[in-house]
Amino acid sequence: MAEHHRLAQSLGWPHLVALGVGAIVGTGILTLIGVGAGKAGPAVILSFAIAGLICACAALAYAEVATMIPAAGSAYTYSYVVFGELIAWMIGVALILEYSLVVSAVAVGWSGYASGFLNSVGWGLPPALVNGPELGGVINLPAIFIIFVVAGLLIAGTRESATLNAILVVIKLAALALFVAVALPVFNADNFHPFMPYGFPRSGAAGSEVGVMAAAAIIFFAFYGFDAIATAAEDAKNPGRDLAIGIVGSMAVCVLIYMVIAATAIGALGYTRFADSPEPLALILREIGQGTAARILGASAVIALPTVILAFFFGQSRIFFTVARDGLLPSSLARVSSRGTPVRITMFTAIVVAVIAGIFPLAKIAALANAGTLAAFVAVCAAMLVLRRREPDRERKFRAPLAWPVGIVGILGCLYLFISLPVLTQTFFLAAQAIGLLLYFVYGSRAAERARVRA
């Protein structure tokens, strides 16, 4: 690989575990727990369990495939190796959709806590500057602000931003521990009745779907941070060992955290009272008379939620970088700076996600993001099974246990979650794939061929 296309290998497994925890524990539990509770009631705990199980299967597949193919690009690269360029391009479109929307969604979630915290200390911004047009505002200025702050961190250097990320992850986990310690004493089991008010399958009119699976299809967003680790393959010092530790370790830690937080939140306050809040955990603390703890939690979220933005922004820039390096996007975007960071692609990503975050509300962005992720997870589970059949004797530094049941559950579970997504989300995703297919035949395939000839 030419030096100007080569990333600096600077991350160890502790950085990767922190990157995964930083990506997973964030907007999903701090913000989307309210959206999920509004769709499933107390059974949102079951929604978390279902989404977590499906993600665990996908995580095992990622860990195996990532250590066999330790290159940047995550599911895009694995699809390229296993299925070829066309399928890789389609998965690349899905990943670009996923990561762009995830960064935007987390930025909007951060804005909700930042605005609530500023209001609590008397420095509130006008509503027109903290909400997009669909919520009666003009633009979400705090969301745009934090995106460019994180972009600056990533441009400064990969190891430096990963070290800061690890520190902020500790702050975030401490804030969640504070929430449990303060809210658990007022736990009321009556808040769990009726447990499943909207039933199990997705139901309801388009745009207002409810049910356990409708909630799972949205809060699925809360679990998928581990795939951001796979995008760091070329940044890892020892990818064969470190990627597996980072992916499986971060997933195990976060499933436990989510179940504890969800049960504590619903036990402390009836779900209807926090379902529509942009800062549900802080609202719960205020409602139970713990204003000081709410301010601490809000401040911690403001400080630490950028870890999620950083992890996914990092992943998005690496996917764009790899696609450009393969010639499917302009190869000039795949140049790295003297510090080994892809500056051009990072700034391009920042502009794209800032526009989305400044205009659209959180729930809509999260639902759209999930569709791209589900496609990527299906591709990775399928890639693991194909490689098991095609190259059974190839060295695997991490072997997923019960690979065939795990891969099949991952594929079928992701397909069921896709069916449970809002109809608008499904339509948008299919339209994006159709546009991506057109772009491939008009531009991508010939550009990639030219890149291979130059190489």
Side-chain angles (χ1 to χ4, degrees), residues 71-451:
S74 186
Y76 161 78
T77 298
Y78 312 150
S79 298
Y80 205 117
V81 172
V82 178
F83 303 118
E85 185 176 271
L86 177 58
I87 298 299
W89 170 262
M90 303 307 291
I91 296 302
V93 170
L95 285 172
I96 289 169
L97 182 69
E98 169 202 344
Y99 278 78
S100 297
L101 292 167
V102 168
V103 172
S104 302
V106 179
V108 173
W110 179 87
S111 175
Y113 272 91
S115 302
F117 175 73
L118 291 174
N119 285 332
S120 71
V121 296
W123 295 347
L125 295 172
L129 297 181
V130 295
N131 291 297
E134 288 195 35
L135 297 179
V138 175
I139 193 168
N140 195 327
L141 202 57
I144 295 173
F145 166 76
I146 194 61
I147 284 170
F148 281 100
V149 169
V150 171
L153 283 172
L154 288 172
I155 290 171
T158 301
R159 182 179 177 85
E160 292 81 359
S161 56
T163 301
L164 176 61
N165 174 71
I167 295 169
L168 295 181
V169 166
V170 172
I171 294 173
K172 184 162 53 179
L173 295 180
L176 292 176
L178 171 68
F179 172 80
V180 172
V182 173
L184 202 55
V186 299
F187 187 93
N188 181 2
D190 292 340
N191 290 337
F192 287 83
H193 301 288
F195 181 69
M196 200 182 294
Y198 306 113
F200 184 83
R202 186 193 74 177
S203 60
S208 56
E209 293 88 350
V210 294
V212 170
M213 287 308 301
I218 299 298
I219 62 177
F220 174 75
F221 176 96
F223 282 95
Y224 58 82
F226 64 85
D227 59 331
I229 299 172
T231 68
E234 290 182 37
D235 299 88
K237 295 177 181 176
N238 184 356
R241 179 199 65 182
D242 297 345
L243 289 175
I245 295 174
I247 291 171
V248 178
S250 61
M251 216 20 224
V253 169
C254 293
V255 169
L256 177 63
I257 291 171
Y258 275 16
M259 303 312 295
V260 172
I261 295 295
T264 303
I266 294 169
L269 191 69
Y271 74 92
T272 56
R273 295 170 64 183
F274 65 83
D276 297 322
S277 172
E279 40 159 7
L281 298 189
L283 173 67
I284 290 168
L285 292 178
R286 286 196 295 270
E287 290 292 315
I288 64 175
Q290 298 289 340
T292 300
R295 283 191 291 274
I296 293 173
L297 179 70
S300 300
V302 170
I303 294 170
L305 262 182
T307 60
V308 187
I309 303 174
L310 187 147
F312 280 102
F313 203 135
F314 175 92
Q316 169 69 309
S317 66
R318 267 41 181 186
I319 290 165
F320 267 137
F321 174 82
T322 308
V323 175
R325 194 169 62 185
D326 289 338
L328 292 168
L329 287 173
S331 59
S332 60
L333 292 174
R335 297 187 70 88
V336 298
S337 70
S338 59
R339 299 176 66 88
T341 58
V343 175
R344 297 179 184 180
I345 208 70
T346 300
M347 288 308 300
F348 175 73
T349 304
I351 293 168
V352 171
V353 298
V355 170
I356 297 170
I359 296 174
F360 295 104
L362 175 62
K364 183 169 291 188
I365 299 173
L368 293 173
N370 285 355
T373 307
L374 290 168
F377 283 9
V378 167
V380 175
C381 289
M384 178 185 72
L385 298 181
V386 169
L387 288 172
R388 282 288 181 109
R389 176 62 65 85
R390 184 192 296 171
E391 303 178 46
D393 299 324
R394 183 172 167 182
E395 180 187 8
R396 286 166 171 81
K397 296 183 179 179
F398 174 84
R399 293 182 69 91
L402 302 172
W404 285 93
V406 163
I408 291 170
V409 169
I411 291 169
L412 295 180
C414 288
L415 292 175
Y416 189 27
L417 285 176
F418 182 83
I419 293 170
S420 302
L421 283 168
V423 175
L424 180 62
T425 299
Q426 296 169 347
T427 304
F428 179 86
F429 173 77
L430 295 175
Q433 288 293 308
I435 293 170
L437 197 59
L438 178 64
L439 289 174
Y440 175 78
F441 287 113
V442 171
Y443 167 80
S445 61
R446 283 179 289 183
E449 181 62 32
R450 288 195 296 270

